[in-house]
Amino acid sequence: ISVKEFSNYYNYELKKEIDNIENKYNAHYIEDTLSSYNITHLTLGSFFNLDYQINEKSTPYSNRSNFFPSNLYYENNTNRSNLIRLLNKIGYNFKWIGNQWADCNFYNTLKYCMEYSFLMNYSNLINEYTFNSFFSSSPLIDLLGKFYYNNKVKIEKLFINNNNYDCMDHDAICKFLYYSKQMDKKYDKTFFFIHHLNPHSPHTFDQNCNIKKEKHNNKFDYFESYLCTLKKIDELLNYLSHFDPNAKIIIQGDHGTRFNTKKNEYDLNRLKIFNLLVNIDNHHFKNKIDNVNAARLLISEATKSKIHLLDKKSYFGFYEDSNNYGKVLRVSD
């Protein structure tokens, strides 16, 4: 969620933390940004499409196969992502650092994956995206979810304790840093997509980024996870300021959170996101940068060409257990 909404909800001021990040890393935080959609598969699907994939006039879709992460599935030397096709055309590599919800290895068999997931075989058997999609309308979801989460965390901790590796599978920033430091030299002309799951559940970290002994999924868990994520962002930017000081970076949420509403109930907070630009010095268009235009901005920065932004839009979509599934509603600014 946005810094403003977080501060208002928790009565906890974050100005010092944001000012520190802005001053150290040539960064600019953009307040009052709405995500392109309220659901990950729609927002990131549109990010990789370089355009809004569905609007209020579109034919309702019946499944997620055309959206993220399925739209990054690499098969027969083809990819359905407009962004990746354009990156290939201008001579850029693409690297994806995923998480337990959307594991790069599950969809790409290492074609675009920076990391080889230590849970690859387990994730191929049942990754969280597949799990949630299949059981979304089942009364077993809570019971199965606890079983899935608890066993996945046990496997991760077992691996961590027996290897020189300390990254939980949802901690994509940690994985990026780990694998970057294994390289002899930096990637040239590479677009990195780091899909960091926090502060989203499973909320396994406290505010100092230590692994919690148990998870509650309550408001305090989100509070701690959010503060930890700010520390992770600082750690990432500090590393990149030395590893690749001229890197163009955008750090965004793909949706906000909901504190007091149910899954398919309209809540504007679900669209209010964190939005940080780093080493991007053209300030006059920054308030136009939502998720879709972020991808367009990065292409412009990579090619040093004129930026072609779309009119900024936001939509509210629905999950599989809603009668409105497959449709979206336009949200007024």
Side-chain angles (χ1 to χ4, degrees):
I1 198 169
S2 70
V3 169
K4 180 192 290 185
E5 293 306 314
F6 177 90
S7 297
N8 289 342
Y9 186 77
Y10 288 106
N11 192 27
Y12 187 93
E13 182 58 59
L14 288 174
K15 186 177 186 303
K16 180 179 178 181
E17 288 85 345
I18 298 303
D19 286 349
N20 180 55
I21 289 174
E22 288 186 320
N23 293 333
K24 285 198 298 185
Y25 304 118
N26 187 30
H28 181 76
Y29 179 77
I30 305 173
E31 192 55 87
D32 299 321
T33 303
L34 298 184
S35 58
S36 300
Y37 297 86
N38 62 311
I39 303 175
T40 296
H41 72 270
L42 296 175
T43 294
L44 294 184
S46 295
F47 175 87
F48 282 100
N49 189 51
L50 298 173
D51 202 348
Y52 304 92
Q53 276 193 280
I54 183 172
N55 59 43
E56 68 275 24
K57 298 179 181 179
S58 301
T59 301
Y61 59 91
S62 60
N63 57 63
R64 301 187 182 193
S65 61
N66 289 322
F67 304 100
F68 179 86
S70 298
N71 66 341
L72 296 194
Y73 186 72
Y74 185 86
E75 186 176 33
N76 298 327
N77 294 318
T78 61
N79 191 288
R80 290 180 289 159
S81 164
N82 289 337
L83 174 58
I84 296 178
R85 284 199 294 264
L86 183 54
L87 289 170
N88 291 337
K89 185 176 180 180
I90 64 175
Y92 266 70
N93 299 308
F94 172 76
K95 291 296 177 183
W96 172 13
I97 302 91
N99 56 57
Q100 68 203 57
W101 182 83
D103 190 332
C104 178
N105 297 288
F106 185 86
Y107 291 91
N108 285 278
T109 60
L110 307 184
K111 171 66 179 178
Y112 297 127
C113 305
M114 186 175 180
E115 88 281 10
Y116 182 87
S117 173
F118 56 81
L119 292 172
M120 182 176 178
N121 291 333
Y122 185 74
S123 297
N124 280 344
L125 175 63
I126 178 170
N127 80 332
E128 191 165 348
Y129 172 78
T130 305
F131 177 90
N132 283 336
S133 297
F134 186 78
F135 289 109
S136 60
S137 59
S138 169
L140 297 176
I141 185 67
D142 291 334
L143 178 62
L144 292 172
K146 289 180 181 178
F147 173 82
Y148 171 73
Y149 170 81
N150 290 336
N151 282 280
K152 191 173 182 70
V153 170
K154 286 178 182 178
I155 291 173
E156 289 184 40
K157 289 181 177 178
L158 180 64
F159 185 93
I160 289 169
N161 291 335
N162 289 279
N163 294 270
N164 186 25
Y165 186 89
D166 60 357
C167 300
M168 300 292 283
D169 201 28
H170 60 275
D171 188 354
I173 289 177
C174 179
K175 291 194 287 186
F176 170 80
L177 295 174
Y178 175 84
Y179 286 101
S180 292
K181 292 171 184 178
Q182 310 309 309
M183 299 185 303
D184 294 330
K185 59 181 181 179
K186 67 182 181 182
Y187 285 104
D188 290 326
K189 298 184 72 174
T190 301
F191 185 108
F192 291 97
F193 173 62
I194 304 173
H195 190 189
H196 188 72
L197 202 57
N198 284 353
H200 194 288
S201 59
H203 303 147
T204 51
F205 295 124
D206 65 19
Q207 64 188 57
N208 295 311
C209 299
N210 299 312
I211 298 176
K212 300 172 76 166
K213 293 182 179 180
E214 57 183 299
K215 102 180 175 40
H216 303 287
N217 271 334
N218 58 25
K219 292 186 292 185
F220 184 68
D221 287 329
Y222 187 87
F223 172 84
E224 289 197 300
S225 186
Y226 197 99
L227 296 182
C228 169
T229 301
L230 291 179
K231 288 181 170 63
K232 291 281 184 179
I233 289 171
D234 187 270
E235 182 183 9
L236 171 67
L237 294 179
N238 181 60
Y239 172 75
L240 289 174
S241 69
H242 298 91
F243 181 74
D244 190 0
N246 298 315
K248 309 297 182 181
I249 305 162
I250 298 180
I251 300 174
Q252 292 182 328
D254 55 15
H255 57 71
T257 193
R258 48 180 174 266
F259 292 117
N260 300 309
T261 55
K262 295 181 181 180
K263 186 166 60 174
N264 287 302
E265 291 181 9
Y266 175 77
D267 184 347
L268 189 60
N269 283 329
R270 185 67 177 172
L271 293 161
K272 295 179 179 179
I273 60 170
F274 186 96
N275 191 8
L276 183 76
L277 310 187
V278 182
N279 288 333
I280 296 174
D281 297 322
N282 293 322
H283 289 197
H284 65 280
F285 55 73
K286 286 186 175 180
N287 289 332
K288 298 179 180 179
I289 304 303
D290 62 354
N291 304 108
V292 169
N293 282 329
R296 288 174 165 261
L297 171 58
L298 290 171
I299 290 294
S300 171
E301 291 286 331
T303 58
K304 296 180 171 56
S305 60
K306 182 179 179 180
I307 184 171
H308 297 284
L309 298 178
L310 302 178
D311 291 336
K312 192 166 64 170
K313 303 172 186 175
S314 292
Y315 297 94
F316 192 87
F318 303 89
Y319 291 88
E320 284 84 348
D321 55 351
S322 169
N323 291 332
N324 289 315
Y325 177 68
K327 303 175 184 178
V328 296
L329 303 177
R330 177 74 183 274
V331 178
S332 299
D333 294 336

